[in-house]
Amino acid sequence: MENLGIYIHIPFCEHKCIYCDFYSVITNENRPGFLEALKKEIKTYSGKFAGDKTVKSIFFGGGTPSLLEVPEIEEILNTLAKEFKIETPEITLETNPGTVDLQKLKDFLKAGINRLSVGVQSFDDKELEFLTRIHNSGEAKKTIFNASEIGFENISIDLIFNLPGQTKRGWEENLRTAVGLPVKHISAYSLILERGTILNKMVLDGKVKISDEDYDADLYEFTMRYLKSRGFRQYEVSNFAKPGYECRHNKFYWDYTDYLGFGPSAHSFVEGVRWRNFSSLKKYISEIRKSGKAICTKETLSEKEKLEEFVMLSLRSEGLDLKRLREEFSPLWEKKNKNLLEFLNEEQIIKFAGDKVILTEKGYSLCDEILTKFEY
Ligand code: SF4
């Protein structure tokens, strides 16, 4: 029986952070309409659509899913349970410190959430202020301790490095704080300037200076070494987990497992077809009311595109399974790239483990560059 992941995009935030380009609105005006539409969309893509697939992961992302009331989350989960075959799912809720108190965390746990992904970003109050986050470091730690004490065993945090003015010592302090907390998973991303964000404009206007790529690479290399030395295994370019706590949902994305995305701006990928919903709450609601779907773009991947994605996603994560590549795609890729693979192996950028090609730490650092070198 094949697995299926489900992503639910909750498009509400209390405030728009300066660096963020995820789709969200800062009003609750359309919340009842959104929930109605979401339930209708889920019913449109019910188990009939997903065939025999079994849902093993449900991920509430956003936006700020933890702004929803617990009965609203329960309603969504109940709708999913009626419409899909779900078995021992990992159910993740992205949670912003500052939006949940102890009681709300207890209620989320009771509702079935079994993994919290806490958007910490930094443990330095000045950095948090710069990022215009709504919480401070103390609140982030309190959320994590509270969650752990009441029984959340699987807690992840997000951190951002190479913030303007961030010293190596400052980043090291962030990581040191992180590993001292009861967290099992850390996502560490370099600050990315997304077009259309306030931060991007600040940089273009010369009001903020971002450190160069070499400095960024130094911080990244330190991150890999440090987290490894603290028992966090790197299983993707930006993701580190204690053994057994790798994010199932992430792994589905990278493993080429099918997933359905519900809500505005959500992406889906099922049997080689990818589609994306409208990134507008109003449009999403009106389209769903009309037809039960809110698809903005849809594409069927060509065999070459599927192969490219498979290679890219596998190499960025747990490694490229050559046996699977030969069976599901073609043996030609290996022949075409034989010399390059040998060279990368000699340079210790990749290593072979049985039938798998795995990036080394050096390889993770050069990942984007390496991926442009392969022939398809
Ligand atoms: S809380 Fe998250 S989704 Fe909302 S604006 Fe900030 S970074 Fe973006």
Side-chain angles (χ1 to χ4, degrees):
M1 190 98 49
E2 284 179 49
N3 292 333
L4 180 74
I6 285 183
Y7 173 81
I8 310 267
H9 190 83
I10 306 297
F12 304 104
C13 286
E14 262 185 36
H15 136 101
K16 197 75 197 167
C17 304
I18 58 165
Y19 60 97
C20 174
D21 78 333
F22 293 117
Y23 176 68
S24 64
V25 293
I26 49 171
T27 157
N28 276 327
E29 256 173 42
N30 283 317
R31 197 146 132 184
F34 163 71
L35 287 164
E36 275 318 302
L38 185 66
K39 285 188 281 179
K40 186 167 175 189
E41 190 187 22
I42 291 170
K43 285 177 189 158
T44 305
Y45 293 91
S46 70
K48 287 179 250 80
F49 178 89
D52 263 353
K53 296 184 175 70
T54 305
V55 175
K56 286 288 183 72
S57 165
I58 299 168
F59 193 104
F60 289 91
T64 309
S66 53
L67 279 178
L68 287 194
E69 297 304 329
V70 180
E72 293 174 323
I73 293 282
E74 282 171 332
E75 220 177 305
I76 299 168
L77 287 173
N78 288 340
T79 308
L80 288 171
K82 271 191 214 138
E83 301 297 327
F84 289 91
K85 199 185 307 163
I86 304 178
E87 265 177 35
T88 54
E90 175 181 278
I91 308 181
T92 304
L93 185 86
E94 283 185 350
T95 304
N96 267 13
T99 60
V100 282
D101 57 18
L102 187 64
Q103 189 56 47
K104 198 167 183 186
L105 285 170
K106 282 182 185 167
D107 293 342
F108 277 140
L109 186 66
K110 212 164 137 210
I113 304 296
N114 54 26
R115 183 173 184 274
L116 281 189
S117 171
V118 187
V120 173
Q121 317 310 350
S122 170
F123 288 105
D124 179 312
D125 283 339
K126 284 210 171 67
E127 291 177 353
L128 288 169
E129 209 176 300
F130 170 79
L131 291 169
T132 64
R133 299 290 298 181
I134 57 167
H135 64 271
N136 60 31
S137 170
E139 284 167 324
K141 288 182 211 163
K142 192 170 168 203
T143 298
I144 294 162
F145 280 124
N146 278 346
S148 171
E149 270 164 31
I150 62 159
F152 275 104
E153 197 206 336
N154 194 348
I155 301 174
S156 171
I157 60 169
D158 287 354
L159 291 174
I160 304 178
F161 63 88
N162 201 8
L163 294 171
Q166 187 178 55
T167 59
K168 286 184 187 172
R169 210 191 164 93
W171 174 236
E172 189 178 335
E173 203 45 53
N174 267 302
L175 289 176
R176 199 187 302 281
T177 305
V179 301
L181 294 168
V183 301
K184 298 288 190 339
H185 185 283
I186 297 174
S187 300
Y189 303 99
S190 164
L191 180 66
I192 295 174
L193 289 178
E194 302 286 2
R195 272 171 52 193
T197 59
I198 298 168
L199 179 60
N200 195 38
K201 179 149 185 355
M202 288 162 83
V203 172
L204 291 174
D205 291 347
K207 290 183 183 146
V208 167
K209 196 172 171 309
I210 304 283
S211 300
D212 63 22
E213 281 179 15
D214 288 345
Y215 186 69
D216 192 83
D218 276 359
L219 295 181
Y220 179 56
E221 276 159 31
F222 174 76
T223 306
M224 288 190 286
R225 283 199 311 275
Y226 184 83
L227 290 180
K228 186 178 174 187
S229 74
R230 296 299 187 277
F232 288 83
R233 187 179 77 87
Q234 183 168 20
Y235 72 107
E236 197 265 349
V237 176
S238 308
N239 285 278
F240 305 81
K242 290 275 175 74
Y245 289 92
E246 296 82 6
C247 172
R248 195 184 289 174
H249 201 76
N250 284 351
K251 287 183 80 171
F252 279 4
Y253 285 153
W254 304 325
D255 188 27
Y256 230 54
T257 301
D258 289 345
Y259 57 88
L260 282 171
F262 300 122
S265 81
H267 290 64
S268 301
F269 179 76
V270 178
E271 286 165 8
V273 183
R274 188 201 316 281
W275 64 93
R276 181 171 67 80
N277 281 352
F278 286 102
S279 296
S280 152
L281 183 53
K282 280 191 183 148
K283 180 85 176 154
Y284 169 78
I285 293 173
S286 71
E287 290 295 309
I288 295 284
R289 280 183 182 153
K290 271 190 266 169
S291 68
K293 295 185 179 181
I295 299 174
C296 163
T297 57
K298 188 171 185 172
E299 57 172 341
T300 302
L301 299 190
S302 67
E303 287 309 307
K304 182 170 174 273
E305 285 168 333
K306 279 189 212 165
L307 172 61
E308 275 182 36
E309 280 221 344
F310 178 72
V311 171
M312 189 259 293
L313 293 171
S314 312
L315 273 180
R316 287 179 67 89
S317 52
E318 299 268 39
L320 176 61
D321 185 337
L322 293 173
K323 187 164 171 279
R324 189 172 164 196
L325 185 142
R326 273 177 232 128
E327 286 168 4
E328 290 183 25
F329 298 93
S330 134
L332 284 180
W333 184 88
E334 233 176 308
K335 285 188 187 137
K336 278 187 196 164
N337 293 287
K338 189 169 180 292
N339 291 343
L340 178 59
L341 288 170
E342 277 169 16
F343 170 76
L344 294 172
N345 189 32
E346 274 161 29
E347 293 295 314
Q348 296 178 352
I349 290 170
I350 59 166
K351 60 186 178 194
F352 291 95
D355 261 326
K356 270 197 168 180
V357 178
I358 297 170
L359 290 182
T360 60
E361 275 180 18
K362 190 174 167 191
Y364 275 127
S365 303
L366 300 168
C367 183
D368 290 339
E369 202 185 324
I370 298 162
L371 288 168
T372 62
K373 307 281 185 220
F374 291 115
E375 271 186 62
Y376 293 92

